[in-house]
Coordinates of all heavy atoms in Angstrom, one line a residue:
Chain B
E547 N -111.7 -38.2 6.4 CA -110.9 -38.8 7.4 C -110.0 -37.7 8.1 O -109.6 -37.9 9.2 CB -110.0 -39.9 6.7 CG -110.7 -41.1 6.5 CD -110.0 -42.0 5.4 OE1 -108.8 -41.7 5.2 OE2 -110.7 -42.8 4.8
R548 N -109.6 -36.7 7.3 CA -108.7 -35.7 7.8 C -109.5 -34.6 8.5 O -108.9 -33.5 8.8 CB -107.9 -35.1 6.7 CG -107.0 -36.2 6.0 CD -106.2 -35.7 4.9 NE -105.2 -34.6 5.4 CZ -104.6 -33.8 4.6 NH1 -104.9 -33.8 3.3 NH2 -103.7 -32.9 5.1
G549 N -110.7 -34.8 8.8 CA -111.5 -33.9 9.6 C -112.1 -32.7 8.8 O -112.5 -31.7 9.4
R550 N -112.0 -32.8 7.5 CA -112.6 -31.7 6.7 C -114.1 -32.0 6.4 O -114.4 -33.2 6.3 CB -111.8 -31.5 5.4 CG -110.5 -30.9 5.6 CD -109.7 -30.7 4.4 NE -108.5 -29.9 4.6 CZ -107.6 -29.6 3.7 NH1 -107.8 -30.1 2.5 NH2 -106.6 -28.9 4.0
I551 N -114.8 -30.9 6.2 CA -116.2 -31.1 5.9 C -116.3 -31.8 4.5 O -115.6 -31.3 3.6 CB -117.0 -29.8 5.9 CG1 -116.9 -29.2 7.3 CG2 -118.4 -30.0 5.4 CD1 -117.5 -27.8 7.4
K552 N -117.1 -32.8 4.3 CA -117.2 -33.4 3.0 C -118.2 -32.6 2.1 O -119.2 -32.2 2.5 CB -117.9 -34.8 3.2 CG -117.0 -35.9 2.6 CD -117.7 -37.2 2.6 CE -116.7 -38.3 2.4 NZ -117.1 -39.6 2.9
V553 N -117.7 -32.3 0.9 CA -118.5 -31.6 -0.1 C -118.5 -32.3 -1.4 O -117.6 -33.1 -1.7 CB -117.9 -30.1 -0.3 CG1 -118.2 -29.3 0.9 CG2 -116.5 -30.1 -0.6
D554 N -119.5 -32.0 -2.2 CA -119.5 -32.5 -3.6 C -118.7 -31.6 -4.5 O -118.1 -30.7 -4.1 CB -120.9 -32.8 -4.1 CG -121.7 -31.5 -4.4 OD1 -121.1 -30.5 -4.3 OD2 -122.9 -31.6 -4.7
E555 N -118.8 -31.9 -5.8 CA -117.9 -31.1 -6.7 C -118.4 -29.7 -6.8 O -117.6 -28.8 -7.2 CB -117.9 -31.8 -8.2 CG -119.3 -31.9 -8.7 CD -119.3 -32.3 -10.2 OE1 -118.4 -31.8 -10.9 OE2 -120.2 -33.1 -10.6
Y556 N -119.6 -29.4 -6.4 CA -120.0 -28.0 -6.3 C -119.9 -27.4 -4.9 O -120.5 -26.4 -4.6 CB -121.4 -27.8 -6.9 CG -121.5 -28.0 -8.4 CD1 -121.9 -29.2 -9.0 CD2 -121.1 -27.0 -9.2 CE1 -121.9 -29.4 -10.3 CE2 -121.0 -27.2 -10.6 CZ -121.5 -28.4 -11.1 OH -121.5 -28.5 -12.5
F557 N -119.2 -28.1 -4.1 CA -118.9 -27.6 -2.7 C -120.2 -27.6 -1.8 O -120.3 -26.8 -0.9 CB -118.2 -26.3 -2.7 CG -116.8 -26.4 -3.4 CD1 -116.7 -26.2 -4.8 CD2 -115.8 -26.8 -2.7 CE1 -115.5 -26.4 -5.4 CE2 -114.5 -27.0 -3.3 CZ -114.4 -26.8 -4.7
Q558 N -121.1 -28.4 -2.2 CA -122.3 -28.5 -1.4 C -122.0 -29.5 -0.3 O -121.5 -30.6 -0.6 CB -123.5 -29.0 -2.3 CG -124.8 -28.9 -1.6 CD -126.0 -29.2 -2.6 OE1 -125.7 -29.9 -3.6 NE2 -127.1 -28.8 -2.2
S559 N -122.4 -29.1 1.0 CA -122.1 -30.1 2.1 C -123.3 -31.0 2.2 O -124.2 -31.0 1.4 CB -122.0 -29.2 3.4 OG -123.2 -28.8 3.7
G560 N -123.3 -31.8 3.3 CA -124.4 -32.8 3.6 C -125.7 -32.0 3.8 O -126.7 -32.6 3.7
V561 N -125.6 -30.8 4.2 CA -126.9 -30.0 4.4 C -127.1 -29.2 3.2 O -126.3 -28.5 2.7 CB -126.7 -29.0 5.6 CG1 -127.9 -28.1 5.8 CG2 -126.4 -29.8 6.9
E562 N -128.3 -29.4 2.6 CA -128.5 -28.9 1.2 C -128.2 -27.5 1.0 O -127.6 -27.1 0.0 CB -130.0 -29.2 0.9 CG -130.2 -29.2 -0.6 CD -131.7 -29.3 -1.0 OE1 -132.6 -28.8 -0.2 OE2 -132.0 -30.0 -2.0
W563 N -128.6 -26.6 2.0 CA -128.4 -25.2 1.8 C -127.1 -24.7 2.1 O -126.8 -23.5 1.9 CB -129.5 -24.4 2.5 CG -129.7 -24.7 4.0 CD1 -130.5 -25.6 4.5 CD2 -128.8 -24.2 5.1 NE1 -130.4 -25.7 5.9 CE2 -129.3 -24.8 6.3 CE3 -127.8 -23.4 5.2 CZ2 -128.8 -24.6 7.5 CZ3 -127.2 -23.1 6.5 CH2 -127.7 -23.7 7.6
L564 N -126.2 -25.5 2.6 CA -124.9 -25.1 3.1 C -123.8 -25.5 2.1 O -123.6 -26.7 1.8 CB -124.5 -25.6 4.5 CG -123.2 -25.1 5.0 CD1 -123.1 -23.6 5.2 CD2 -122.8 -25.9 6.3
F565 N -123.1 -24.5 1.5 CA -121.9 -24.8 0.7 C -120.7 -24.3 1.4 O -120.7 -23.3 2.1 CB -122.1 -24.0 -0.6 CG -123.2 -24.6 -1.5 CD1 -124.5 -24.4 -1.2 CD2 -122.9 -25.3 -2.7 CE1 -125.5 -24.9 -2.0 CE2 -123.9 -25.8 -3.5 CZ -125.2 -25.6 -3.2
V566 N -119.6 -25.1 1.3 CA -118.4 -24.8 2.0 C -117.2 -24.8 1.1 O -117.1 -25.7 0.2 CB -118.2 -25.8 3.1 CG1 -117.0 -25.4 4.1 CG2 -119.4 -26.1 3.9
G567 N -116.3 -23.8 1.2 CA -115.2 -23.8 0.3 C -114.0 -23.0 0.9 O -114.0 -22.6 2.1
G568 N -113.0 -22.8 0.1 CA -111.8 -22.0 0.6 C -110.8 -22.9 1.3 O -110.8 -24.1 1.1
D569 N -110.0 -22.3 2.1 CA -108.9 -23.0 2.7 C -109.3 -24.2 3.5 O -108.6 -25.2 3.7 CB -108.1 -22.1 3.6 CG -107.2 -21.1 2.8 OD1 -107.2 -21.3 1.6 OD2 -106.6 -20.2 3.4
I570 N -110.6 -24.2 4.1 CA -111.0 -25.3 4.9 C -111.3 -26.5 4.1 O -111.4 -27.6 4.6 CB -112.2 -24.9 5.9 CG1 -113.3 -24.3 5.0 CG2 -111.8 -24.0 6.9 CD1 -114.6 -24.0 5.9
I571 N -111.4 -26.3 2.8 CA -111.6 -27.5 1.9 C -110.4 -27.8 1.1 O -110.0 -28.9 0.9 CB -112.8 -27.2 1.0 CG1 -114.1 -26.9 1.8 CG2 -113.1 -28.4 0.0 CD1 -114.6 -28.1 2.6
E572 N -109.9 -26.8 0.5 CA -108.8 -27.0 -0.5 C -107.7 -25.9 -0.3 O -108.0 -24.8 0.1 CB -109.4 -26.9 -1.9 CG -109.0 -28.1 -2.8 CD -109.5 -27.9 -4.2 OE1 -110.5 -27.2 -4.4 OE2 -108.8 -28.3 -5.1
G573 N -106.5 -26.2 -0.7 CA -105.5 -25.1 -0.6 C -104.4 -25.5 0.4 O -104.0 -26.7 0.4
P574 N -104.0 -24.7 1.2 CA -104.5 -23.3 1.4 C -103.8 -22.3 0.4 O -102.6 -22.3 0.4 CB -104.1 -22.9 2.8 CG -102.9 -23.7 3.1 CD -103.0 -25.0 2.3
D575 N -104.6 -21.7 -0.4 CA -104.1 -20.5 -1.1 C -105.3 -19.7 -1.7 O -106.5 -20.2 -1.7 CB -103.1 -20.9 -2.2 CG -103.7 -21.7 -3.3 OD1 -104.9 -21.9 -3.4 OD2 -102.9 -22.2 -4.2
V576 N -105.0 -18.6 -2.2 CA -106.1 -17.7 -2.7 C -106.8 -18.2 -3.9 O -108.0 -18.2 -4.0 CB -105.5 -16.3 -2.9 CG1 -106.5 -15.4 -3.6 CG2 -105.0 -15.7 -1.7
I577 N -106.0 -18.7 -4.8 CA -106.6 -19.1 -6.1 C -107.5 -20.3 -6.0 O -108.6 -20.3 -6.7 CB -105.5 -19.3 -7.2 CG1 -106.1 -19.3 -8.6 CG2 -104.6 -20.5 -6.9 CD1 -106.7 -18.0 -9.0
H578 N -107.2 -21.3 -5.1 CA -108.2 -22.3 -4.9 C -109.5 -21.8 -4.3 O -110.6 -22.2 -4.7 CB -107.6 -23.4 -3.9 CG -106.8 -24.4 -4.7 ND1 -105.4 -24.4 -4.7 CD2 -107.1 -25.5 -5.4 CE1 -104.9 -25.4 -5.4 NE2 -106.0 -26.1 -5.8
G579 N -109.3 -20.8 -3.4 CA -110.5 -20.2 -2.8 C -111.4 -19.6 -3.9 O -112.6 -19.7 -3.9

Side-chain angles (χ1 to χ4, degrees):
Chain B
E547 284 160 21
R548 299 178 63 197
R550 288 181 170 176
I551 299 171
K552 233 186 195 159
V553 288
D554 71 3
E555 57 169 323
Y556 288 103
F557 298 90
Q558 189 173 23
S559 72
V561 175
E562 199 184 37
W563 50 264
L564 181 66
F565 290 71
V566 189
D569 286 354
I570 53 176
I571 300 293
E572 231 185 330
D575 66 7
V576 172
I577 193 67
H578 274 100

